[in-house]
Amino acid sequence: MIYRILEFLLKVTVFFYFKERYVSNRPNIPKGRPVMFVSNHPGAFMDPIVITTFSKKSMYFIARGESFKNKFAAYFFKLIHMIPVYRKEQTPELTHKNKAVFGACSKHFEKGRAMLIFPEGTSKIEPRLRKVKSGAARIALGAEAQNDFNLDLIIIPVGLNYSNPKDFRTNVHVNFGDPIKVSAYQEAYKNDSFVTAKTLTRDIESSIKAQMLLIEKEEDDKVFEQIQSVYFKEMLDRLKVGKLTAAEELTLKNEVIIAIDFFKNKFPDLSIRLSQMLKEYSVKLRIVQSKYTMFDHKVVEGKTSLIANVIGGVFGFPLFFVGALFNYLPYRLVGYFTNRFTQRDDFTGALRMVIGMFTFLFTYIIFFFIGFNFISNWIVVSGIASLPFLGLFSLGYLKLINRVKAELFFKKMILTENSSIKKILALRVQIIEEFEEARLLYNKMEVNKD
């Protein structure tokens, strides 16, 4: 019962937390048979919430055994379908319990249930997949072996792709990969269970990588981020591809990452020059932003529309006022408690989501009881139901007002022929042209290679 209530509340929370929510290949998830989901792990306990929401399946979760030391915590975690696994490096004295844990997993699969495992073991915000541990493969193979490989167990790789998991109203793309049939490893498992577990682990690793934004080399993180900011939208405009699906955009971004490595190896001088230009552009932007607090780099990138923003600001003020009136206090409380309890970056978004869920829920319940005593019922119900949407409108309205200010300030800088802005704009044009030439060169080389 508790799990069902939390599952519903968290699904509603995910809807409001993310600005854009994309899911790819959900038909890959089979119905009426046991499923093991394996995923990258960038966002702590936000990740299981998101995957459960978009898979539309009730889940059982593998979790760190250290979290179950407290009796109340152990009882609560059991209620919400969490299963402890004990790690040698953390609790070596309890690893003997894992045999029973693996048996419990098998029982869940025998009942046709779904289980979620993060085979990296720990979470970290980065566009990489850390070393995948063999636990998921051993659980899957062990469950099938106990049932003579008649379970029909399927492994679904998942790629979690956040635009920024720490922040409210950012984007998420959940990418479900092609199913891996565990029964396909039956003969190999009978010959050598250890080697087969290693093989399945490698297959799981490569399958997860195929579903996510993957930057293998940490030194390429900043370069890709800068390319995405300066050139990516311009590239799409020049390609005239229209609006891409989330999966198509992910594929294109991964191709850009491959191209970065290609130029570093094949044309190192060009790669260095382009990287230096991007770095120079980034430094110039930071200098202007530090000098002029009203400056917004999005204005330079052409991502604002002054007339539309002004009109929206004028006509949207009444709704903004109502939304801010009822949502300001809980919004501030969420920020306060998140900052107070956050100790790691990867937990920030998850804490913000869960604290926000309870804070806004309690706030709306209080408003409901207050309004119920003074206003007729249907008005109270409709009014309370509209509060989350009004809150989002108010937040968007504030961003709109800031964009208007930034746009007006930018136009003032142009009219006064601010030398810093002129240099930034000229450098931006140069970078785009250089990257366009590099893109054409890359395409030519790829065609010749084929």
Short mmCIF file of all heavy atoms in Angstrom, two decimals, residues 412-440:
data_model
loop_
_atom_site.label_atom_id
_atom_site.label_comp_id
_atom_site.label_asym_id
_atom_site.label_seq_id
_atom_site.Cartn_x
_atom_site.Cartn_y
_atom_site.Cartn_z
N LYS A 412 21.18 47.56 -25.90
CA LYS A 412 21.87 48.78 -25.48
C LYS A 412 23.37 48.67 -25.73
O LYS A 412 24.02 49.62 -26.20
CB LYS A 412 21.59 49.03 -23.99
CG LYS A 412 22.32 50.24 -23.42
CD LYS A 412 22.07 50.36 -21.93
CE LYS A 412 22.89 51.50 -21.34
NZ LYS A 412 22.71 51.61 -19.87
N MET A 413 23.92 47.48 -25.44
CA MET A 413 25.35 47.28 -25.66
C MET A 413 25.70 47.34 -27.15
O MET A 413 26.73 47.87 -27.54
CB MET A 413 25.78 45.92 -25.09
CG MET A 413 25.65 45.81 -23.58
SD MET A 413 26.11 44.17 -22.95
CE MET A 413 27.88 44.34 -22.85
N ILE A 414 24.81 46.82 -27.99
CA ILE A 414 25.03 46.88 -29.43
C ILE A 414 24.99 48.32 -29.93
O ILE A 414 25.84 48.76 -30.72
CB ILE A 414 23.97 46.04 -30.18
CG1 ILE A 414 24.14 44.55 -29.85
CG2 ILE A 414 24.06 46.25 -31.69
CD1 ILE A 414 25.41 43.93 -30.35
N LEU A 415 23.97 49.06 -29.46
CA LEU A 415 23.81 50.45 -29.91
C LEU A 415 24.97 51.33 -29.47
O LEU A 415 25.36 52.26 -30.17
CB LEU A 415 22.49 51.02 -29.36
CG LEU A 415 21.21 50.43 -29.98
CD1 LEU A 415 19.97 50.94 -29.25
CD2 LEU A 415 21.14 50.77 -31.47
N THR A 416 25.52 51.03 -28.30
CA THR A 416 26.65 51.82 -27.81
C THR A 416 27.98 51.28 -28.32
O THR A 416 29.04 51.75 -27.93
CB THR A 416 26.67 51.82 -26.27
OG1 THR A 416 26.70 50.46 -25.80
CG2 THR A 416 25.44 52.52 -25.71
N GLU A 417 27.88 50.26 -29.21
CA GLU A 417 29.06 49.66 -29.84
C GLU A 417 30.09 49.20 -28.81
O GLU A 417 31.28 49.52 -28.89
CB GLU A 417 29.70 50.64 -30.83
CG GLU A 417 28.79 51.01 -32.00
CD GLU A 417 29.49 51.86 -33.04
OE1 GLU A 417 30.58 52.36 -32.75
OE2 GLU A 417 28.92 52.01 -34.13
N ASN A 418 29.59 48.48 -27.85
CA ASN A 418 30.46 47.92 -26.82
C ASN A 418 31.48 46.99 -27.46
O ASN A 418 31.14 46.04 -28.16
CB ASN A 418 29.60 47.14 -25.80
CG ASN A 418 30.40 46.63 -24.64
OD1 ASN A 418 31.21 45.72 -24.80
ND2 ASN A 418 30.17 47.20 -23.47
N SER A 419 32.76 47.28 -27.25
CA SER A 419 33.83 46.54 -27.92
C SER A 419 33.87 45.07 -27.49
O SER A 419 34.17 44.18 -28.30
CB SER A 419 35.19 47.19 -27.63
OG SER A 419 35.45 47.21 -26.23
N SER A 420 33.55 44.77 -26.24
CA SER A 420 33.57 43.39 -25.75
C SER A 420 32.54 42.54 -26.49
O SER A 420 32.83 41.41 -26.90
CB SER A 420 33.29 43.36 -24.25
OG SER A 420 34.27 44.08 -23.53
N ILE A 421 31.36 43.10 -26.67
CA ILE A 421 30.30 42.37 -27.36
C ILE A 421 30.65 42.17 -28.83
O ILE A 421 30.42 41.09 -29.40
CB ILE A 421 28.95 43.11 -27.22
CG1 ILE A 421 28.43 43.01 -25.80
CG2 ILE A 421 27.91 42.54 -28.18
CD1 ILE A 421 28.14 41.60 -25.35
N LYS A 422 31.19 43.19 -29.44
CA LYS A 422 31.57 43.10 -30.86
C LYS A 422 32.59 41.98 -31.07
O LYS A 422 32.51 41.22 -32.03
CB LYS A 422 32.13 44.44 -31.34
CG LYS A 422 31.07 45.53 -31.46
CD LYS A 422 31.68 46.87 -31.83
CE LYS A 422 32.23 46.84 -33.24
NZ LYS A 422 32.73 48.19 -33.65
N LYS A 423 33.55 41.86 -30.14
CA LYS A 423 34.56 40.81 -30.26
C LYS A 423 33.95 39.43 -30.07
O LYS A 423 34.30 38.48 -30.77
CB LYS A 423 35.66 41.05 -29.22
CG LYS A 423 36.54 42.26 -29.51
CD LYS A 423 37.57 42.46 -28.41
CE LYS A 423 38.44 43.69 -28.69
NZ LYS A 423 39.42 43.93 -27.60
N ILE A 424 33.01 39.33 -29.13
CA ILE A 424 32.35 38.04 -28.89
C ILE A 424 31.54 37.61 -30.10
O ILE A 424 31.60 36.45 -30.53
CB ILE A 424 31.45 38.14 -27.64
CG1 ILE A 424 32.32 38.19 -26.38
CG2 ILE A 424 30.49 36.95 -27.56
CD1 ILE A 424 31.54 38.42 -25.10
N LEU A 425 30.78 38.55 -30.67
CA LEU A 425 29.95 38.22 -31.83
C LEU A 425 30.81 37.83 -33.03
O LEU A 425 30.48 36.88 -33.76
CB LEU A 425 29.07 39.42 -32.19
CG LEU A 425 27.98 39.77 -31.16
CD1 LEU A 425 27.25 41.05 -31.58
CD2 LEU A 425 26.99 38.62 -31.01
N ALA A 426 31.91 38.55 -33.23
CA ALA A 426 32.80 38.24 -34.35
C ALA A 426 33.45 36.87 -34.16
O ALA A 426 33.56 36.08 -35.11
CB ALA A 426 33.87 39.32 -34.48
N LEU A 427 33.86 36.57 -32.93
CA LEU A 427 34.49 35.29 -32.65
C LEU A 427 33.48 34.15 -32.81
O LEU A 427 33.82 33.08 -33.32
CB LEU A 427 35.07 35.29 -31.23
CG LEU A 427 35.78 34.02 -30.77
CD1 LEU A 427 36.93 33.66 -31.73
CD2 LEU A 427 36.31 34.17 -29.34
N ARG A 428 32.24 34.39 -32.41
CA ARG A 428 31.20 33.37 -32.55
C ARG A 428 30.98 33.01 -34.02
O ARG A 428 30.88 31.84 -34.37
CB ARG A 428 29.91 33.88 -31.92
CG ARG A 428 28.75 32.92 -32.08
CD ARG A 428 27.49 33.46 -31.42
NE ARG A 428 26.33 32.64 -31.76
CZ ARG A 428 26.04 31.48 -31.20
NH1 ARG A 428 26.82 31.00 -30.24
NH2 ARG A 428 24.98 30.80 -31.58
N VAL A 429 30.91 34.03 -34.87
CA VAL A 429 30.74 33.80 -36.31
C VAL A 429 31.91 33.00 -36.86
O VAL A 429 31.73 32.05 -37.64
CB VAL A 429 30.60 35.14 -37.06
CG1 VAL A 429 30.65 34.93 -38.57
CG2 VAL A 429 29.30 35.84 -36.68
N GLN A 430 33.12 33.36 -36.44
CA GLN A 430 34.33 32.66 -36.91
C GLN A 430 34.31 31.19 -36.47
O GLN A 430 34.63 30.29 -37.25
CB GLN A 430 35.58 33.35 -36.36
CG GLN A 430 36.88 32.75 -36.87
CD GLN A 430 38.11 33.40 -36.25
OE1 GLN A 430 38.00 34.38 -35.51
NE2 GLN A 430 39.28 32.85 -36.54
N ILE A 431 33.92 30.95 -35.21
CA ILE A 431 33.87 29.58 -34.69
C ILE A 431 32.87 28.74 -35.48
O ILE A 431 33.16 27.60 -35.87
CB ILE A 431 33.50 29.58 -33.19
CG1 ILE A 431 34.66 30.14 -32.36
CG2 ILE A 431 33.15 28.17 -32.71
CD1 ILE A 431 34.31 30.35 -30.90
N ILE A 432 31.71 29.29 -35.73
CA ILE A 432 30.67 28.55 -36.46
C ILE A 432 31.15 28.18 -37.86
O ILE A 432 30.96 27.05 -38.32
CB ILE A 432 29.37 29.38 -36.53
CG1 ILE A 432 28.73 29.43 -35.14
CG2 ILE A 432 28.39 28.79 -37.55
CD1 ILE A 432 27.53 30.35 -35.04
N GLU A 433 31.80 29.12 -38.54
CA GLU A 433 32.30 28.84 -39.88
C GLU A 433 33.41 27.79 -39.86
O GLU A 433 33.46 26.91 -40.73
CB GLU A 433 32.80 30.13 -40.54
CG GLU A 433 31.69 31.15 -40.83
CD GLU A 433 30.56 30.55 -41.65
OE1 GLU A 433 30.82 29.76 -42.58
OE2 GLU A 433 29.39 30.87 -41.35
N GLU A 434 34.29 27.88 -38.88
CA GLU A 434 35.37 26.90 -38.76
C GLU A 434 34.81 25.50 -38.50
O GLU A 434 35.27 24.51 -39.06
CB GLU A 434 36.31 27.31 -37.62
CG GLU A 434 37.16 28.53 -37.92
CD GLU A 434 38.50 28.18 -38.53
OE1 GLU A 434 38.74 26.99 -38.81
OE2 GLU A 434 39.31 29.10 -38.73
N PHE A 435 33.81 25.43 -37.62
CA PHE A 435 33.22 24.13 -37.32
C PHE A 435 32.42 23.60 -38.50
O PHE A 435 32.35 22.39 -38.70
CB PHE A 435 32.32 24.24 -36.07
CG PHE A 435 33.05 23.93 -34.80
CD1 PHE A 435 33.62 24.94 -34.04
CD2 PHE A 435 33.19 22.62 -34.37
CE1 PHE A 435 34.31 24.65 -32.87
CE2 PHE A 435 33.87 22.32 -33.19
CZ PHE A 435 34.44 23.34 -32.45
N GLU A 436 31.82 24.48 -39.27
CA GLU A 436 31.10 24.02 -40.44
C GLU A 436 32.06 23.40 -41.46
O GLU A 436 31.78 22.36 -42.06
CB GLU A 436 30.34 25.20 -41.07
CG GLU A 436 29.41 24.82 -42.20
CD GLU A 436 28.27 23.91 -41.78
OE1 GLU A 436 28.03 23.76 -40.56
OE2 GLU A 436 27.63 23.32 -42.67
N GLU A 437 33.22 24.00 -41.62
CA GLU A 437 34.24 23.44 -42.51
C GLU A 437 34.74 22.10 -41.97
O GLU A 437 34.96 21.15 -42.74
CB GLU A 437 35.41 24.42 -42.66
CG GLU A 437 35.07 25.67 -43.46
CD GLU A 437 36.27 26.59 -43.61
OE1 GLU A 437 37.40 26.14 -43.32
OE2 GLU A 437 36.08 27.76 -44.01
N ALA A 438 34.91 22.03 -40.66
CA ALA A 438 35.35 20.78 -40.04
C ALA A 438 34.30 19.68 -40.22
O ALA A 438 34.64 18.52 -40.47
CB ALA A 438 35.64 21.01 -38.56
N ARG A 439 33.03 20.05 -40.10
CA ARG A 439 31.96 19.06 -40.28
C ARG A 439 31.97 18.49 -41.70
O ARG A 439 31.84 17.27 -41.90
CB ARG A 439 30.60 19.70 -39.99
CG ARG A 439 29.42 18.74 -40.15
CD ARG A 439 28.10 19.42 -39.90
NE ARG A 439 27.77 20.38 -40.92
CZ ARG A 439 27.20 20.07 -42.09
NH1 ARG A 439 26.94 18.80 -42.39
NH2 ARG A 439 26.92 21.00 -42.97
N LEU A 440 32.13 19.37 -42.69
CA LEU A 440 32.17 18.92 -44.08
C LEU A 440 33.38 18.02 -44.33
O LEU A 440 33.29 17.03 -45.07
CB LEU A 440 32.19 20.14 -45.01
CG LEU A 440 30.93 21.02 -44.97
CD1 LEU A 440 31.13 22.27 -45.83
CD2 LEU A 440 29.71 20.24 -45.44
#
